Coordinates of all heavy atoms in Angstrom, one line a residue:
M608 N 0.8 -1.2 0.0 CA 0.1 -0.1 0.0 C 0.9 1.2 0.0 O 1.8 1.3 0.7 CB -0.9 0.0 1.3 CG -2.1 -0.8 1.1 SD -3.3 -0.1 -0.1 CE -4.4 -1.3 -0.2
P609 N 0.5 2.3 -0.7 CA 1.2 3.6 -0.6 C 1.0 4.2 0.8 O 0.1 3.8 1.4 CB 0.4 4.5 -1.6 CG -0.5 3.6 -2.4 CD -0.8 2.3 -1.6
S610 N 2.0 5.0 1.2 CA 1.9 5.5 2.5 C 0.7 6.4 2.8 O 0.3 6.5 4.0 CB 3.1 6.4 2.8 OG 3.1 7.6 2.0
N611 N 0.0 6.9 1.8 CA -1.2 7.7 2.1 C -2.5 6.9 2.1 O -3.5 7.5 2.0 CB -1.3 8.9 1.0 CG -1.3 8.4 -0.3 OD1 -1.3 7.2 -0.6 ND2 -1.6 9.4 -1.3
V612 N -2.4 5.6 2.0 CA -3.6 4.8 2.2 C -3.5 3.9 3.5 O -2.4 3.2 3.7 CB -3.7 3.8 1.1 CG1 -4.8 2.8 1.3 CG2 -3.9 4.5 -0.2
T613 N -4.2 4.3 4.5 CA -4.1 3.7 5.8 C -5.5 3.3 6.3 O -6.6 3.7 5.8 CB -3.5 4.7 6.8 OG1 -4.5 5.8 7.1 CG2 -2.2 5.3 6.4
Y614 N -5.4 2.5 7.5 CA -6.8 2.2 8.2 C -6.9 3.2 9.4 O -5.8 3.5 10.1 CB -6.8 0.8 8.7 CG -7.0 -0.3 7.6 CD1 -6.1 -0.9 7.0 CD2 -8.4 -0.4 7.2 CE1 -6.4 -1.9 6.1 CE2 -8.7 -1.3 6.2 CZ -7.7 -2.1 5.6 OH -8.0 -2.9 4.7
A615 N -8.1 3.6 9.6 CA -8.4 4.3 10.9 C -7.4 5.3 11.4 O -7.2 6.2 10.8 CB -8.9 3.3 12.0
G616 N -6.8 4.9 12.6 CA -5.8 5.9 13.3 C -4.6 6.2 12.5 O -4.0 7.2 12.8
G617 N -4.3 5.4 11.5 CA -3.1 5.6 10.7 C -3.2 7.0 9.9 O -2.0 7.5 9.7
C618 N -4.4 7.5 9.7 CA -4.4 8.8 9.0 C -4.0 9.9 9.8 O -3.4 10.9 9.3 CB -5.8 9.0 8.4 SG -7.1 9.4 9.7
I619 N -4.1 9.8 11.1 CA -3.7 10.9 12.1 C -2.2 11.1 11.8 O -1.6 12.3 11.8 CB -4.2 10.7 13.4 CG1 -5.8 10.8 13.5 CG2 -3.5 11.8 14.4 CD1 -6.3 10.4 14.8
K620 N -1.5 9.9 12.0 CA 0.0 9.9 11.9 C 0.5 10.5 10.6 O 1.4 11.3 10.5 CB 0.4 8.5 12.0 CG 2.0 8.4 12.5 CD 2.2 6.9 12.8 CE 3.7 6.6 12.4 NZ 4.0 5.3 12.2
Y621 N -0.3 10.1 9.5 CA 0.1 10.6 8.2 C -0.1 12.2 8.1 O 0.8 12.7 7.6 CB -0.8 9.9 7.1 CG -0.6 10.3 5.7 CD1 0.7 9.9 5.0 CD2 -1.4 11.1 5.0 CE1 0.9 10.4 3.8 CE2 -1.1 11.6 3.7 CZ 0.0 11.1 3.2 OH 0.3 11.6 1.8
I622 N -1.2 12.6 8.5 CA -1.5 14.0 8.5 C -0.5 14.8 9.2 O 0.0 15.8 8.8 CB -2.9 14.3 9.0 CG1 -4.0 13.8 8.0 CG2 -3.1 15.8 9.2 CD1 -5.4 13.7 8.5
K623 N -0.1 14.3 10.5 CA 0.9 15.0 11.2 C 2.2 15.0 10.7 O 3.1 15.9 11.1 CB 0.9 14.4 12.7 CG -0.4 14.8 13.5 CD -0.2 14.3 14.9 CE -1.3 15.0 15.8 NZ -1.4 14.4 17.1
S624 N 2.6 14.0 9.7 CA 3.8 14.0 9.1 C 4.0 15.2 8.1 O 5.1 15.4 7.5 CB 4.1 12.7 8.4 OG 3.3 12.5 7.2
K625 N 2.9 15.8 7.8 CA 2.9 16.9 6.7 C 2.8 18.3 7.6 O 1.8 18.5 8.2 CB 1.7 16.7 5.7 CG 1.5 15.5 5.0 CD 2.7 15.2 4.3 CE 2.7 13.7 3.6 NZ 3.9 13.3 3.0
N626 N 3.8 19.1 7.4 CA 3.7 20.4 8.1 C 4.1 21.6 7.2 O 4.3 22.7 7.7 CB 4.5 20.4 9.3 CG 5.9 19.8 9.1 OD1 6.3 20.0 8.0 ND2 6.6 19.4 10.2
T627 N 3.9 21.5 5.9 CA 4.1 22.6 5.0 C 2.9 23.1 4.5 O 1.9 22.4 4.1 CB 5.0 22.1 3.8 OG1 6.0 21.3 4.2 CG2 5.6 23.3 3.1
E628 N 2.7 24.4 4.6 CA 1.4 25.1 4.2 C 1.5 25.2 2.7 O 2.2 25.8 2.2 CB 1.2 26.3 4.9 CG -0.2 26.9 4.8 CD -0.4 28.2 5.6 OE1 -0.2 28.2 6.8 OE2 -0.9 29.1 5.0
T629 N 0.5 24.5 2.0 CA 0.4 24.5 0.6 C -0.8 25.2 0.0 O -1.0 25.5 -1.2 CB 0.7 23.2 0.0 OG1 -0.3 22.3 0.6 CG2 2.1 22.5 0.1
L630 N -1.9 25.3 0.9 CA -3.1 25.8 0.5 C -3.5 27.0 1.3 O -3.3 26.9 2.6 CB -4.2 24.8 0.5 CG -4.1 23.6 -0.5 CD1 -5.2 22.6 -0.1 CD2 -4.2 24.0 -1.9
S631 N -4.2 28.0 0.8 CA -4.7 29.1 1.6 C -6.0 28.6 2.2 O -6.6 27.5 1.8 CB -5.0 30.3 0.7 OG -6.1 30.0 -0.2
Q632 N -6.5 29.4 3.3 CA -7.6 29.0 3.9 C -8.8 29.0 3.0 O -9.7 28.0 3.1 CB -7.9 30.1 5.0 CG -7.2 29.9 6.3 CD -7.4 28.6 7.0 OE1 -8.5 28.1 7.1 NE2 -6.3 27.9 7.5
Q633 N -8.8 29.8 2.0 CA -9.9 29.8 1.0 C -9.9 28.5 0.1 O -10.9 27.9 -0.1 CB -9.7 31.0 0.1 CG -10.9 32.0 0.2 CD -10.6 33.3 -0.7 OE1 -9.5 33.4 -1.3 NE2 -11.7 34.0 -0.9
Q634 N -8.7 28.1 -0.4 CA -8.5 26.8 -1.0 C -8.9 25.7 -0.3 O -9.6 24.7 -0.7 CB -7.1 26.8 -1.5 CG -6.7 27.6 -2.6 CD -5.2 27.5 -2.9 OE1 -4.4 27.8 -2.0 NE2 -4.9 27.4 -4.1
V635 N -8.6 25.7 1.1 CA -9.0 24.6 2.0 C -10.6 24.6 2.0 O -11.2 23.5 1.9 CB -8.4 24.8 3.3 CG1 -9.1 23.8 4.4 CG2 -6.9 24.6 3.3
Q636 N -11.2 25.7 2.2 CA -12.7 25.7 2.3 C -13.3 25.1 0.9 O -14.2 24.3 1.1 CB -13.1 27.1 2.5 CG -13.2 27.6 4.0 CD -13.8 26.6 5.0 OE1 -15.0 26.1 4.6 NE2 -13.2 26.4 6.1
A637 N -12.8 25.6 -0.1 CA -13.3 25.1 -1.4 C -13.1 23.6 -1.6 O -13.9 22.9 -2.0 CB -12.5 25.8 -2.6
A638 N -12.0 23.0 -1.1 CA -11.6 21.6 -1.1 C -12.7 20.9 -0.2 O -13.2 19.8 -0.6 CB -10.3 21.3 -0.7
I639 N -12.9 21.4 1.0 CA -13.9 20.8 1.9 C -15.3 20.8 1.2 O -16.0 19.7 1.4 CB -13.9 21.6 3.2 CG1 -12.7 21.3 4.0 CG2 -15.2 21.1 4.0 CD1 -12.6 22.2 5.2
M640 N -15.7 21.8 0.6 CA -17.0 21.9 -0.1 C -17.0 20.8 -1.2 O -18.0 20.1 -1.4 CB -17.3 23.3 -0.7 CG -17.5 24.3 0.4 SD -18.9 24.1 1.3 CE -20.2 24.6 0.2
A641 N -16.0 20.7 -2.0 CA -15.9 19.7 -3.2 C -16.0 18.3 -2.7 O -16.8 17.5 -3.1 CB -14.7 20.1 -4.0
I642 N -15.3 18.1 -1.5 CA -15.4 16.7 -0.9 C -16.7 16.4 -0.5 O -17.3 15.4 -0.7 CB -14.3 16.5 0.2 CG1 -12.8 16.6 -0.4 CG2 -14.4 15.2 0.9 CD1 -11.8 16.8 0.6
A643 N -17.3 17.2 0.3 CA -18.7 17.0 0.9 C -19.7 16.8 -0.1 O -20.5 16.0 -0.1 CB -19.1 18.2 1.8
H644 N -19.5 17.6 -1.2 CA -20.5 17.4 -2.4 C -20.4 16.1 -3.1 O -21.4 15.5 -3.5 CB -20.1 18.5 -3.3 CG -21.2 18.7 -4.5 ND1 -22.5 19.1 -4.3 CD2 -21.2 18.3 -5.8 CE1 -23.1 19.0 -5.4 NE2 -22.4 18.5 -6.3
G645 N -19.1 15.6 -3.2 CA -19.0 14.4 -4.1 C -18.8 13.1 -3.2 O -18.6 12.0 -3.6
R646 N -19.2 13.2 -2.0 CA -19.1 12.1 -0.9 C -20.0 10.9 -1.3 O -21.2 11.3 -1.5 CB -19.2 12.6 0.4 CG -18.8 11.5 1.4 CD -18.6 12.0 2.9 NE -18.1 10.9 3.7 CZ -18.3 10.9 4.9 NH1 -18.9 11.8 5.6 NH2 -17.8 9.7 5.6
L647 N -19.6 9.8 -1.3 CA -20.5 8.6 -1.6 C -21.1 8.2 -0.2 O -20.6 8.6 1.0 CB -19.6 7.4 -2.0 CG -19.0 7.5 -3.4 CD1 -18.2 6.4 -3.6 CD2 -20.0 7.7 -4.5
K648 N -22.3 7.5 -0.3 CA -23.0 7.1 0.9 C -22.1 6.1 1.7 O -21.6 5.1 1.1 CB -24.3 6.4 0.4 CG -25.3 6.3 1.5 CD -26.6 5.9 0.9 CE -27.5 5.1 1.9 NZ -27.2 3.7 2.0
P649 N -21.8 6.4 3.0 CA -21.0 5.4 3.7 C -21.8 4.1 4.0 O -23.0 4.1 4.0 CB -20.9 6.1 5.2 CG -21.4 7.6 5.1 CD -22.4 7.5 3.7
G650 N -21.0 3.1 3.9 CA -21.6 1.8 4.0 C -20.7 0.6 3.6 O -19.6 1.0 3.0
L651 N -21.1 -0.5 3.7 CA -20.2 -1.6 3.3 C -20.0 -1.7 1.8 O -18.9 -2.1 1.4 CB -20.9 -3.0 3.8 CG -20.7 -3.5 5.1 CD1 -21.4 -4.8 5.3 CD2 -19.2 -3.7 5.4
K652 N -20.9 -1.4 1.0 CA -20.9 -1.5 -0.5 C -19.9 -0.5 -0.9 O -19.0 -0.7 -1.7 CB -22.2 -1.2 -1.0 CG -22.3 -1.4 -2.6 CD -23.8 -1.3 -3.1 CE -23.7 -1.4 -4.6 NZ -23.8 0.0 -5.3
T653 N -20.0 0.8 -0.4 CA -19.0 1.8 -0.8 C -17.6 1.4 -0.3 O -16.7 1.6 -1.0 CB -19.4 3.2 -0.1 OG1 -20.7 3.6 -0.4 CG2 -18.5 4.3 -0.4
N654 N -17.5 0.9 0.9 CA -16.3 0.4 1.5 C -15.6 -0.6 0.5 O -14.4 -0.5 0.2 CB -16.5 -0.1 2.8 CG -15.2 -0.1 3.6 OD1 -14.3 0.7 3.5 ND2 -15.0 -1.2 4.5
R655 N -16.3 -1.6 0.1 CA -15.8 -2.7 -0.8 C -15.4 -2.0 -2.1 O -14.3 -2.4 -2.7 CB -16.9 -3.6 -0.9 CG -16.5 -5.1 -1.2 CD -17.5 -6.2 -1.0 NE -18.8 -5.7 -1.5 CZ -19.9 -5.8 -0.8 NH1 -19.9 -6.3 0.4 NH2 -21.1 -5.4 -1.3
E656 N -16.3 -1.1 -2.7 CA -16.0 -0.5 -3.9 C -14.6 0.3 -3.9 O -13.8 0.2 -4.8 CB -17.0 0.4 -4.4 CG -18.1 -0.4 -5.1 CD -19.4 0.4 -5.3 OE1 -19.4 1.6 -5.1 OE2 -20.4 -0.2 -5.8
H657 N -14.5 1.0 -2.7 CA -13.3 1.7 -2.5 C -12.0 0.9 -2.4 O -11.0 1.2 -3.1 CB -13.4 2.6 -1.2 CG -12.1 3.3 -0.8 ND1 -11.5 4.2 -1.4 CD2 -11.2 2.9 0.2 CE1 -10.4 4.6 -0.8 NE2 -10.1 3.8 0.2
V658 N -12.2 -0.2 -1.8 CA -11.0 -1.1 -1.6 C -10.5 -1.7 -3.0 O -9.5 -1.7 -3.4 CB -11.2 -2.3 -0.7 CG1 -10.2 -3.5 -0.7 CG2 -11.4 -1.7 0.7
N659 N -11.6 -2.1 -3.8 CA -11.3 -2.7 -5.2 C -10.7 -1.5 -6.0 O -9.8 -1.9 -6.8 CB -12.6 -3.1 -5.8 CG -13.0 -4.5 -5.1 OD1 -12.2 -5.1 -4.6 ND2 -14.3 -4.7 -5.1
H660 N -11.2 -0.3 -5.9 CA -10.8 0.8 -6.7 C -9.3 1.1 -6.4 O -8.5 1.3 -7.3 CB -11.6 2.1 -6.5 CG -11.2 3.3 -7.2 ND1 -11.3 3.4 -8.5 CD2 -10.6 4.4 -6.7 CE1 -10.8 4.7 -8.9 NE2 -10.4 5.3 -7.8
V661 N -9.0 1.0 -5.0 CA -7.5 1.3 -4.8 C -6.6 0.2 -5.2 O -5.6 0.4 -5.8 CB -7.4 1.5 -3.3 CG1 -5.9 1.5 -2.8 CG2 -8.1 2.7 -2.8
K662 N -7.1 -1.0 -5.2 CA -6.4 -2.2 -5.8 C -6.1 -2.0 -7.2 O -5.1 -2.3 -7.7 CB -7.1 -3.5 -5.4 CG -6.8 -4.0 -4.0 CD -7.6 -5.3 -3.8 CE -7.4 -5.7 -2.3 NZ -8.4 -6.9 -2.0
D663 N -7.1 -1.5 -8.0 CA -7.0 -1.3 -9.4 C -5.9 -0.3 -9.7 O -5.0 -0.5 -10.5 CB -8.3 -0.8 -10.0 CG -9.3 -1.9 -10.3 OD1 -8.9 -3.1 -10.1 OD2 -10.5 -1.6 -10.5
I664 N -6.0 0.8 -8.9 CA -5.0 1.9 -9.1 C -3.6 1.4 -8.9 O -2.7 1.6 -9.7 CB -5.3 3.1 -8.1 CG1 -6.5 3.7 -8.5 CG2 -4.1 4.0 -8.2 CD1 -7.0 4.8 -7.4
I665 N -3.4 0.5 -7.8 CA -2.1 0.0 -7.5 C -1.5 -0.8 -8.5 O -0.4 -0.8 -9.0 CB -2.1 -0.6 -6.1 CG1 -2.3 0.3 -5.0 CG2 -0.9 -1.4 -5.9 CD1 -2.6 -0.3 -3.7
S666 N -2.5 -1.7 -9.1 CA -2.0 -2.7 -10.1 C -1.5 -2.0 -11.4 O -0.6 -2.3 -11.9 CB -3.0 -3.8 -10.4 OG -4.1 -3.2 -11.0
V667 N -2.4 -0.9 -11.6 CA -2.0 -0.2 -12.9 C -0.7 0.6 -12.8 O 0.2 0.5 -13.6 CB -3.0 0.8 -13.3 CG1 -2.6 1.8 -14.3 CG2 -4.4 0.1 -13.8
K668 N -0.6 1.3 -11.5 CA 0.7 2.0 -11.2 C 1.9 1.1 -11.3 O 2.9 1.4 -11.7 CB 0.6 2.6 -9.9 CG 0.1 4.0 -10.0 CD 0.2 4.9 -8.7 CE -0.4 6.2 -8.9 NZ -0.7 6.8 -7.5
N669 N 1.8 -0.1 -10.7 CA 3.0 -1.0 -10.5 C 3.4 -1.6 -11.8 O 4.6 -1.6 -12.2 CB 2.7 -2.1 -9.6 CG 2.9 -1.7 -8.2 OD1 3.5 -0.7 -8.0 ND2 2.7 -2.6 -7.3
T670 N 2.4 -1.9 -12.8 CA 2.8 -2.4 -14.1 C 3.5 -1.3 -14.9 O 4.3 -1.5 -15.8 CB 1.7 -3.0 -14.8 OG1 0.6 -2.1 -14.7 CG2 1.3 -4.4 -14.4
A671 N 3.1 0.1 -14.5 CA 3.7 1.2 -15.3 C 5.0 1.6 -14.6 O 5.7 2.4 -15.3 CB 2.7 2.3 -15.4
N672 N 5.2 1.0 -13.5 CA 6.4 1.4 -12.7 C 7.6 0.7 -13.3 O 7.7 -0.6 -13.4 CB 6.3 0.9 -11.3 CG 6.4 2.0 -10.4 OD1 6.4 3.2 -10.6 ND2 6.3 1.7 -9.0
P673 N 8.6 1.4 -14.0 CA 9.7 0.7 -14.5 C 10.7 0.1 -13.5 O 10.6 0.5 -12.3 CB 10.4 1.8 -15.4 CG 10.0 3.0 -14.7 CD 8.6 2.8 -14.1
C674 N 11.5 -0.8 -14.0 CA 12.6 -1.4 -13.2 C 13.4 -0.2 -12.7 O 13.9 0.6 -13.4 CB 13.3 -2.4 -13.9 SG 14.8 -3.0 -13.1
P675 N 13.7 -0.3 -11.3 CA 14.5 0.8 -10.7 C 16.0 0.7 -11.2 O 16.8 1.7 -11.1 CB 14.5 0.5 -9.2 CG 14.0 -0.9 -9.0 CD 13.2 -1.2 -10.3
K676 N 16.4 -0.5 -11.7 CA 17.8 -0.7 -12.2 C 18.0 -0.4 -13.6 O 19.0 0.2 -14.0 CB 18.3 -2.1 -11.8 CG 18.7 -2.3 -10.4 CD 19.3 -3.6 -10.1 CE 19.6 -4.0 -8.7 NZ 20.0 -5.4 -8.5
C677 N 17.2 -0.9 -14.5 CA 17.4 -0.9 -15.9 C 16.3 -0.2 -16.7 O 16.4 0.1 -17.8 CB 17.6 -2.2 -16.5 SG 16.3 -3.3 -16.5
G678 N 15.1 0.1 -16.1 CA 14.1 1.0 -16.7 C 13.1 0.0 -17.5 O 12.1 0.4 -18.1
S679 N 13.3 -1.3 -17.5 CA 12.4 -2.3 -18.1 C 11.0 -2.4 -17.4 O 11.0 -1.9 -16.3 CB 12.9 -3.7 -18.3 OG 14.3 -3.6 -19.0
D680 N 10.1 -2.9 -18.1 CA 8.7 -3.1 -17.3 C 9.0 -4.2 -16.3 O 9.8 -5.1 -16.3 CB 7.7 -3.6 -18.3 CG 7.2 -2.5 -19.3 OD1 7.4 -1.3 -18.9 OD2 6.7 -2.8 -20.3
M681 N 8.0 -4.1 -15.2 CA 8.1 -5.1 -14.0 C 6.8 -6.0 -14.2 O 5.7 -5.4 -14.7 CB 8.0 -4.4 -12.7 CG 9.2 -3.4 -12.4 SD 10.8 -4.3 -12.3 CE 10.8 -4.9 -10.7
V682 N 6.9 -7.2 -14.0 CA 5.8 -8.2 -14.1 C 5.7 -9.0 -12.9 O 6.7 -9.1 -12.0 CB 5.9 -9.2 -15.3 CG1 5.7 -8.5 -16.6 CG2 7.2 -9.9 -15.2
I683 N 4.4 -9.4 -12.5 CA 4.3 -10.2 -11.3 C 4.8 -11.8 -11.5 O 4.6 -12.3 -12.5 CB 2.7 -10.4 -10.9 CG1 2.2 -8.9 -10.6 CG2 2.6 -11.4 -9.8 CD1 0.7 -9.0 -10.2
R684 N 5.7 -12.1 -10.6 CA 6.2 -13.4 -10.6 C 5.9 -14.2 -9.5 O 5.7 -13.5 -8.4 CB 7.7 -13.4 -11.0 CG 8.2 -12.8 -12.3 CD 9.6 -12.9 -12.5 NE 10.1 -12.1 -13.6 CZ 9.9 -12.5 -15.0 NH1 9.2 -13.6 -15.2 NH2 10.3 -11.8 -16.0
T685 N 6.1 -15.5 -9.5 CA 6.0 -16.3 -8.2 C 7.2 -16.9 -7.8 O 7.8 -17.5 -8.8 CB 4.9 -17.4 -8.5 OG1 3.6 -16.7 -9.0 CG2 4.4 -18.2 -7.2
A686 N 7.6 -16.9 -6.6 CA 8.8 -17.4 -6.1 C 8.8 -19.0 -6.4 O 7.8 -19.6 -5.9 CB 9.1 -17.1 -4.7
K687 N 9.8 -19.6 -7.0 CA 9.8 -21.0 -7.3 C 10.6 -21.6 -6.4 O 10.6 -23.0 -6.2 CB 10.2 -21.2 -8.8 CG 9.3 -20.5 -9.7 CD 9.2 -21.4 -10.9 CE 8.0 -21.0 -11.8 NZ 8.0 -19.5 -12.3
K688 N 11.5 -21.0 -5.5 CA 12.3 -21.7 -4.6 C 12.7 -20.6 -3.5 O 12.4 -19.4 -3.6 CB 13.6 -22.2 -5.2 CG 14.4 -21.2 -6.1 CD 15.6 -21.9 -6.8 CE 16.3 -20.9 -7.7 NZ 17.3 -21.4 -8.5
G689 N 13.4 -21.2 -2.5 CA 13.8 -20.2 -1.3 C 12.8 -20.1 -0.3 O 11.7 -20.7 -0.3
A690 N 13.0 -19.2 0.6 CA 12.3 -19.0 1.8 C 10.8 -18.5 1.5 O 10.0 -18.8 2.3 CB 12.9 -18.0 2.8
H691 N 10.7 -17.8 0.4 CA 9.4 -17.1 0.0 C 8.7 -18.0 -1.0 O 7.8 -17.4 -1.9 CB 9.6 -15.7 -0.3 CG 10.2 -14.9 0.7 ND1 9.6 -14.5 1.8 CD2 11.5 -14.4 0.8 CE1 10.3 -13.9 2.6 NE2 11.6 -13.7 2.0
I692 N 8.8 -19.3 -1.1 CA 8.4 -20.0 -2.2 C 6.9 -20.0 -2.2 O 6.2 -19.9 -1.2 CB 8.8 -21.6 -2.0 CG1 8.4 -22.3 -3.4 CG2 8.1 -22.2 -0.9 CD1 9.2 -23.7 -3.5
G693 N 6.3 -19.7 -3.6 CA 4.9 -19.6 -3.7 C 4.4 -18.2 -3.6 O 3.3 -17.8 -4.0
S694 N 5.2 -17.3 -3.0 CA 4.8 -15.9 -2.8 C 5.1 -15.0 -4.0 O 6.0 -15.4 -4.9 CB 5.3 -15.3 -1.6 OG 6.7 -15.3 -1.7
K695 N 4.2 -14.1 -4.3 CA 4.3 -13.3 -5.6 C 5.1 -11.9 -5.3 O 5.1 -11.5 -4.2 CB 2.9 -12.9 -6.1 CG 2.0 -14.1 -6.5 CD 0.9 -13.8 -7.3 CE 0.0 -14.8 -7.7 NZ 0.7 -16.0 -8.4
F696 N 5.7 -11.5 -6.4 CA 6.6 -10.3 -6.3 C 6.6 -9.7 -7.7 O 6.4 -10.3 -8.7 CB 8.0 -10.5 -5.7 CG 8.8 -11.6 -6.6 CD1 9.6 -11.2 -7.5 CD2 8.6 -12.9 -6.4 CE1 10.3 -12.0 -8.3 CE2 9.3 -13.8 -7.1 CZ 10.2 -13.4 -8.1
W697 N 7.1 -8.3 -7.7 CA 7.3 -7.8 -9.0 C 8.8 -8.1 -9.5 O 9.7 -8.0 -8.6 CB 7.2 -6.2 -8.9 CG 5.8 -5.8 -8.7 CD1 5.3 -5.4 -7.5 CD2 4.7 -5.7 -9.7 NE1 3.9 -5.2 -7.8 CE2 3.6 -5.3 -9.1 CE3 4.6 -6.2 -11.0 CZ2 2.4 -5.2 -9.7 CZ3 3.5 -5.9 -11.7 CH2 2.3 -5.5 -11.0
G698 N 8.9 -8.5 -10.6 CA 10.3 -8.9 -11.1 C 10.6 -8.3 -12.5 O 9.5 -8.0 -13.2
C699 N 11.8 -7.9 -12.7 CA 12.1 -7.3 -13.9 C 12.0 -8.2 -15.2 O 12.2 -9.3 -15.1 CB 13.6 -6.8 -13.9 SG 14.1 -6.0 -15.4
T700 N 11.4 -7.6 -16.3 CA 11.2 -8.5 -17.5 C 12.5 -8.9 -18.2 O 12.6 -9.7 -19.1 CB 10.3 -7.7 -18.6 OG1 10.8 -6.4 -18.7 CG2 8.7 -7.7 -18.0
D701 N 13.5 -8.0 -17.8 CA 14.9 -8.4 -18.3 C 15.6 -9.5 -17.6 O 16.8 -9.7 -17.9 CB 15.8 -7.1 -18.3 CG 16.7 -7.1 -19.6 OD1 16.5 -7.8 -20.5 OD2 17.6 -6.2 -19.5
Y702 N 14.9 -10.2 -16.6 CA 15.5 -11.3 -15.9 C 15.9 -12.3 -16.9 O 15.2 -12.5 -18.0 CB 14.5 -11.9 -14.9 CG 15.0 -13.0 -14.1 CD1 15.7 -12.8 -12.9 CD2 14.8 -14.4 -14.5 CE1 16.1 -13.9 -12.2 CE2 15.2 -15.4 -13.8 CZ 15.8 -15.2 -12.7 OH 16.3 -16.2 -11.9
P703 N 17.0 -13.1 -16.8 CA 18.0 -13.1 -15.7 C 19.1 -12.1 -15.9 O 19.9 -12.0 -15.0 CB 18.6 -14.5 -15.8 CG 18.5 -14.8 -17.2 CD 17.3 -14.2 -17.9
K704 N 19.1 -11.3 -16.9 CA 20.1 -10.3 -17.0 C 20.0 -9.2 -15.9 O 21.1 -8.8 -15.4 CB 20.0 -9.6 -18.5 CG 21.2 -9.6 -19.4 CD 20.9 -9.3 -20.8 CE 20.7 -7.8 -21.0 NZ 20.2 -7.5 -22.5
C705 N 18.8 -8.9 -15.5 CA 18.5 -7.9 -14.4 C 17.7 -8.6 -13.5 O 16.7 -9.2 -13.7 CB 17.8 -6.6 -15.0 SG 17.3 -5.6 -13.6
R706 N 18.2 -8.7 -12.1 CA 17.5 -9.4 -11.1 C 16.8 -8.6 -10.2 O 16.5 -8.8 -9.0 CB 18.5 -10.2 -10.3 CG 19.0 -11.5 -11.2 CD 20.2 -12.1 -10.6 NE 20.7 -13.2 -11.5 CZ 20.2 -14.5 -11.3 NH1 19.4 -14.8 -10.3 NH2 20.6 -15.4 -12.1
A707 N 16.4 -7.3 -10.6 CA 15.8 -6.3 -9.7 C 14.4 -6.9 -9.4 O 13.6 -7.4 -10.2 CB 15.6 -5.0 -10.4
I708 N 14.0 -6.8 -8.0 CA 12.6 -7.2 -7.7 C 12.1 -6.2 -6.7 O 12.9 -5.5 -6.1 CB 12.5 -8.6 -7.0 CG1 13.5 -8.6 -5.8 CG2 12.9 -9.7 -8.0 CD1 13.2 -9.8 -4.8
F709 N 10.8 -6.1 -6.5 CA 10.2 -5.4 -5.3 C 8.9 -6.0 -5.1 O 8.3 -6.8 -5.7 CB 10.1 -3.9 -5.5 CG 9.5 -3.4 -6.8 CD1 8.0 -3.4 -6.8 CD2 10.2 -2.8 -7.6 CE1 7.6 -2.8 -7.9 CE2 9.6 -2.2 -8.8 CZ 8.3 -2.3 -8.9
N710 N 8.6 -5.9 -3.5 CA 7.4 -6.8 -3.0 C 6.2 -6.2 -3.5 O 6.0 -5.0 -3.9 CB 7.5 -6.5 -1.6 CG 8.6 -7.3 -0.9 OD1 9.1 -8.3 -1.5 ND2 9.2 -6.8 0.2
I711 N 5.1 -7.1 -3.6 CA 3.8 -6.5 -3.9 C 3.1 -6.3 -2.5 O 3.0 -7.1 -1.7 CB 2.9 -7.7 -4.6 CG1 3.4 -8.0 -5.9 CG2 1.5 -7.3 -4.5 CD1 2.9 -9.2 -6.6
S712 N 2.9 -4.9 -2.3 CA 2.3 -4.5 -1.0 C 0.7 -4.9 -1.0 O 0.0 -4.7 -1.9 CB 2.4 -3.1 -0.7 OG 2.2 -2.3 -1.8
Q713 N 0.2 -5.4 0.1 CA -1.2 -5.9 0.2 C -2.0 -4.7 0.5 O -1.8 -4.0 1.5 CB -1.3 -6.9 1.2 CG -0.6 -8.2 0.7 CD -1.2 -8.9 -0.5 OE1 -2.5 -8.8 -0.7 NE2 -0.3 -9.5 -1.3
Ligands
ZN1016 ZN1 15.7 -4.3 -14.6

């Protein structure tokens, strides 16, 4: 998960980590109005849709995320041996020339 996606109390910690003023009071008011206006009905259905929506965003972003070492695309692979056998991770398409990997955050 990206650092700005949290459960419950995690958002307070995230907000407190930001202390640079980037919006004027007027801009803040406008944003509050816009959020209140577009807010979905709270409930299980909205919650489920939100979780799926975030998962979609993450999968799109990660496939578009190039390899940090060589710039090739990253694909989901499954560990075939070692301590993490059976678990999935992002691996470079240029493997075995490039062995860069990163974890799939849940
Ligand atoms: Zn690579």
